[in-house]
């Protein structure tokens, strides 16, 4: 038989998605892959049931249905403080996963370099490799996950084509401050680099932190390719609705990439989601309040159990320190946790470039009762995974 493509040789399947399968296998409370177990807004679901009887069953325009783009342009124009052109400056994609991949393929040629902060959401590594680019990793240092400006500048000096900015950040929960973003903007300008953002948690930010859209910084509209999605904002991760917003000459190329990758996002789902895009600010305040309460509930539970953890400023992930259990492999720890304690987590090593093996990631986008059930199971953590059980054997 001929050899298969070498494209994927340097990476495994997604560990995040694998941990969902492991959780299902052991009937564990799945706090690994980040998605809600509560319902999307009722208005969106009601519109979805109407849409099934309307004429939305064929392809939409490849770069997105007209009324979806118009509603999205209106919402994001308010947030970005500039008028977004629904016809020239938006491509609707199959989730932000496709948006990020299409953005990478839009800017990077094989051999180009791309800056990725570490820890990072695992897709970025695969995205850069699949588009033929080479990642340059720049560490974010706990507890605040700050970067060292000198290290960042050293990365920019290697003439990268783009920097990937996940803000609010998965998995570390960092919300980049205005000053940090300004510093990145100055480097992007000085070294003539694009910035590809992943802003899917734009509406999940905890007081007193504020989300600043990178493209809204002075001079940054021209060099920012903003990616986001409706998944987290409207609790519809399975609908796979994402988008790219960028200047028209960038979008012209992104449209071609997207057209040949997927043709388009699901037409009936775009139509049903329009009602969500038209929600007023009350909805986003409600969402923020809901997640703030979940964060506080879950962090308090972890504190009562006595596990040390990060405190997210945004997004819905927590990194927990599992050093006390003495495992060599955090992946093995997560397997044992799912099997013996009944809670699914993602091994921290899947997010770090550095050799990090003492962290696991939980998410808290779950009903309160699910979070209580997980905390309840975690009470017995030290009995079920005794410290003496070194190396997990
Ligand atoms: N962003 C979510 C996570 O990090 C889900 C990612 C996915 O599987 N598409 O868990």
């Amino acid at each position: 038989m001929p050899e298969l493509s070498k494209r994927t040789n340097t990476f495994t399947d997604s560990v995040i998605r694998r941990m969902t399968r492991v959780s299902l296998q052991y009937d564990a409370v799945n706090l690994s892959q980040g998605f809600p177990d509560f319902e999307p807004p009722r208005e969106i679901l009601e519109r979805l049931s109407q849409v099934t009887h309307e004429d939305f069953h064929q392809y939409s325009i490849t770069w997105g249905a007209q009324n979806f783009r118009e509603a999205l342009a209106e919402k994001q124009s308010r947030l970005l403080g500039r008028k977004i052109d629904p016809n020239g400056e938006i491509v609707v994609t199959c989730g932000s996963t496709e948006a990020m991949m299409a953005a990478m393929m839009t800017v990077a040629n094989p051999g180009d370099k791309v800056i990725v902060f570490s820890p990072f959401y695992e897709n970025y590594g695969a995205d850069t490799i699949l588009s033929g680019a080479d990642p340059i990793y720049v560490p974010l240092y706990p507890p605040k996950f700050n970067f060292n400006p000198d290290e960042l500048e050293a990365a920019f000096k290697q003439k990268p084509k783009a920097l990937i900015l996940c803000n609010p950040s998965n998995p570390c929960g960092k919300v980049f401050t205005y000053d940090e973003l300004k510093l990145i903007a100055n480097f992007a300008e000085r070294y003539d680099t694009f910035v590809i953002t992943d802003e899917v948690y734009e509406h999940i930010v905890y007081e007193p932190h504020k989300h600043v859209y990178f493209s809204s910084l002075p001079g940054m509209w021209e060099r920012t390719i903003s990616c986001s999605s409706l998944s987290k904002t409207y609790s519809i991760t399975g609908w796979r609705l994402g988008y790219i917003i960028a200047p028209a000459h960038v979008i012209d190329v992104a449209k071609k990439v997207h057209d040949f990758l997927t043709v388009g996002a699901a037409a009936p789902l775009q139509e049903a989601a329009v009602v969500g895009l038209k929600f007023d600010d009350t909805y986003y305040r409600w969402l923020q309040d809901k997640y703030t309460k979940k964060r506080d509930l879950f962090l308090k539970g972890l504190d009562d159990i006595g596990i040390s953890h990060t405190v997210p400023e945004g997004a819905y992930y927590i990194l927990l320190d599992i050093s006390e259990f003495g495992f060599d492999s955090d992946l093995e720890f997560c397997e044992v946790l799912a099997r013996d304690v009944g809670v699914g987590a993602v091994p921290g090593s899947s997010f770090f470039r550095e050799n990090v093996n003492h962290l696991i990631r939980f998410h808290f986008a779950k009903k309160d009762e699910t979070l209580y059930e997980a905390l309840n199971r975690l009470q017995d953590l030290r009995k079920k995974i005794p410290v003496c059980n070194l190396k997990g054997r």
Side-chain angles (χ1 to χ4, degrees):
M1 291 293 281
E3 227 188 301
L4 296 172
S5 133
K6 294 188 174 50
R7 231 172 247 122
T8 64
N9 284 4
T10 53
F11 54 91
T12 65
D13 63 328
S14 155
V15 179
I16 298 179
R17 267 90 74 190
R18 197 193 309 166
M19 291 317 296
T20 282
R21 298 191 292 275
V22 170
S23 300
L24 286 170
Q25 181 188 344
Y26 296 119
D27 202 18
V29 179
N30 185 7
L31 303 187
S32 62
Q33 185 182 14
F35 61 88
D37 66 349
F38 42 83
E39 288 214 327
R42 199 172 7 91
E43 297 88 330
I44 297 181
L45 296 185
E46 279 167 5
R47 181 67 191 125
L48 178 64
S49 60
Q50 292 166 355
V51 161
T52 59
H53 304 292
E54 298 174 18
D55 185 14
F56 294 102
H57 302 291
Q58 311 308 327
Y59 304 121
S60 64
I61 292 173
T62 169
W63 56 86
Q66 188 69 30
N67 55 346
F68 184 94
R69 277 183 286 109
E70 281 172 8
L72 177 65
E74 196 158 324
K75 168 179 178 277
Q76 295 310 112
S77 296
R78 273 201 314 273
L79 296 166
L80 297 180
R82 73 173 291 128
K83 183 108 196 62
I84 307 297
D85 172 9
N87 299 315
E89 296 174 338
I90 294 179
V91 181
V92 181
T93 57
C94 300
S96 69
T97 300
E98 189 210 333
M100 294 293 292
M101 179 63 84
M104 284 292 302
M105 295 180 97
T106 295
V107 304
N109 286 316
D112 281 345
K113 297 195 169 87
V114 174
I115 300 178
V116 177
F117 286 113
S118 170
F120 59 98
Y121 171 50
E122 60 175 10
N123 278 41
Y124 310 152
D127 288 352
T128 42
I129 294 163
L130 285 174
S131 60
D134 297 317
I136 310 171
Y137 292 98
V138 173
L140 295 173
Y141 294 101
K144 298 292 284 178
F145 292 94
N146 295 332
F147 57 84
N148 173 333
D150 294 336
E151 288 177 348
L152 185 59
E153 182 155 25
F156 271 101
K157 282 185 173 155
Q158 296 179 49
K159 302 198 189 329
K161 200 62 170 294
L163 171 142
I164 295 181
L165 178 72
C166 182
N167 184 33
S169 191
N170 175 9
C172 64
K174 179 181 181 63
V175 174
F176 285 77
T177 64
Y178 185 85
D179 289 346
E180 288 171 321
L181 295 174
K182 195 77 187 59
L183 201 75
I184 297 171
N186 291 345
F187 287 145
E189 189 108 56
R190 189 174 317 150
Y191 295 97
D192 196 19
T193 307
F194 284 112
V195 174
I196 300 173
T197 69
D198 176 354
E199 295 177 288
V200 299
Y201 305 100
E202 62 199 293
H203 294 292
I204 305 177
V205 176
Y206 309 106
E207 291 289 351
H209 305 281
K210 295 269 175 272
H211 179 62
V212 177
Y213 289 86
F214 193 80
S215 71
S216 72
L217 293 177
M220 284 303 109
W221 165 253
E222 287 305 323
R223 50 180 76 251
T224 306
I225 300 163
S226 305
C227 300
S228 192
S229 93
L230 280 68
S231 290
K232 319 294 190 202
T233 303
Y234 306 104
S235 310
I236 48 175
T237 62
W239 290 30
R240 314 309 302 125
L241 291 177
Y243 54 88
I244 304 174
I245 295 180
H249 71 279
V250 176
I251 288 296
D252 283 347
V253 177
K255 278 178 178 170
K256 288 196 275 183
V257 175
H258 160 77
D259 195 355
F260 287 106
L261 272 179
T262 62
V263 179
L269 300 182
Q270 290 184 63
E271 181 54 33
V274 167
V275 38
L277 291 170
K278 290 187 172 166
F279 286 159
D280 65 22
D281 286 349
T282 331
Y283 174 74
Y284 303 101
R285 277 199 298 276
W286 171 84
L287 186 77
Q288 183 182 20
D289 187 53
K290 178 183 174 97
Y291 273 111
T292 302
K293 290 192 176 119
K294 291 193 181 299
R295 180 188 74 153
D296 295 348
L297 178 166
F298 197 55
L299 290 184
K300 176 165 185 321
L302 293 176
D303 287 340
D304 290 346
I305 296 167
I307 312 174
S308 87
H309 57 76
T310 55
V311 176
E313 300 168 348
Y316 47 53
Y317 303 100
I318 300 177
L319 294 171
L320 286 84
D321 191 329
I322 51 151
S323 326
E324 63 176 282
F325 296 93
F327 274 58
D328 276 344
S329 155
D330 56 356
L331 183 61
E332 195 180 332
F333 181 89
C334 287
E335 289 259 1
V336 174
L337 186 70
R339 189 190 65 207
D340 297 348
V341 182
V343 183
V346 182
S349 56
S350 44
F351 303 102
F352 284 84
R353 173 62 175 170
E354 301 78 16
N355 189 14
V356 167
N357 198 37
H358 66 288
L359 297 171
I360 61 168
R361 191 196 76 173
F362 279 149
H363 82 92
F364 53 85
K366 290 285 180 257
K367 292 175 190 157
D368 290 358
E369 66 214 61
T370 311
L371 294 175
Y372 282 125
E373 176 60 27
L375 288 167
N376 205 22
R377 294 181 184 199
L378 288 168
Q379 297 285 349
D380 290 341
L381 178 66
R382 293 186 179 87
K383 267 188 240 142
K384 292 196 170 143
I385 311 182
V387 179
C388 59
N389 188 10
L390 275 180
K391 317 299 179 213
R393 280 173 207 107

